[in-house]
Amino acid sequence: MTRITAEQLVEILRTVARRIDEAREHLADLDGAIGDADHGRTMSEGFAAVVRDAQDAAHAGAGAADLLPIAARSFLDAVGATAGPLYASGFQEAGRRLAGRAELSDGDLLTLVAGLGDGIARRGKAVPGDKTMMDAFGPALRAIAAAEASDADVGAALGLAARAAAEGRDATRTMVASKGRAARLGTRSLGHVDPGAASAAIVIDALREAFEAIRAARGGRG
Ligand SMILES: [Mg+2]
C-alpha cells in the first residue's frame, strides 16, 4: 500500500500555506469588514511557521504524525490572534489520533481533517451557525463521515469535504455572528462572509489539492 511520508506531509502543509498566502489580501478584506483585518496576515504567518518547523523536523527524521504536534506549537507561537489556539488545538487532536504513524495512509488524511475540525470545535466551543470557521469545518466533517460510511475513496471524500466547506463558508454571509470579535457587531455582521470560515474552506480545499497532486505523482496507482 502506498503511504504518505513525513516529507510528503510537509509538501501537503506547504500547499496549504501557499493557498492561504495567495488569499492573504482577500482574507484581510473579509476580516476588515467585520473585525480587525489581521486574519490574512496571521493565517499566512501561522502556516509559514508550520511548514518551516515541520520541514526541519522531517529532515531530522521525524515521522509523519510527529509533525502534527510540532505544527500545533508552531502555529500557536506564530499566531497571537484568535485563530492561534484554535488551529493549535486542531493540530494537537489530529496528532493524537494519528500518534505513532511514521507514514500515513491515504485514509489517515481524512482522520487528519476530522481531528483538525474536532480539535477546533472543542477549543472554540462554536457550533455551525455561529458564523465562525466551524461553519466550514462542520459541514466538511459531516461530508467526510458520510463519504467514509459509503466507502467513497479518499480523493472523492476530500472533494466532497471541500465543496461542503465552501458552501458552509458562503452560508455565513446570511448569519449573525455570535462568537468572536464580530459578535460585537450584532446584525451588522449580516451580509459579510466570515473570514475564519473562508480560511478554513481554503485549508480544506488545499488538502484536497495536495492529495490530488500526490495521487497524480503516483501515476494513477491508487
Ligand atoms: Mg482578526
Side-chain angles (χ1 to χ4, degrees), residues 55-78:
Q55 180 174 271
D56 288 349
H59 285 171
D66 297 337
L67 303 186
L68 296 167
I70 290 167
R73 200 162 46 243
S74 303
F75 202 92
L76 188 63
D77 287 348

Side-chain angles (χ1 to χ4, degrees), residues 31-32 34-40 42 81-82 181 195:
D31 195 24
I34 60 173
D36 57 2
D38 69 344
H39 194 65
T42 56
T82 337
R181 191 183 291 267

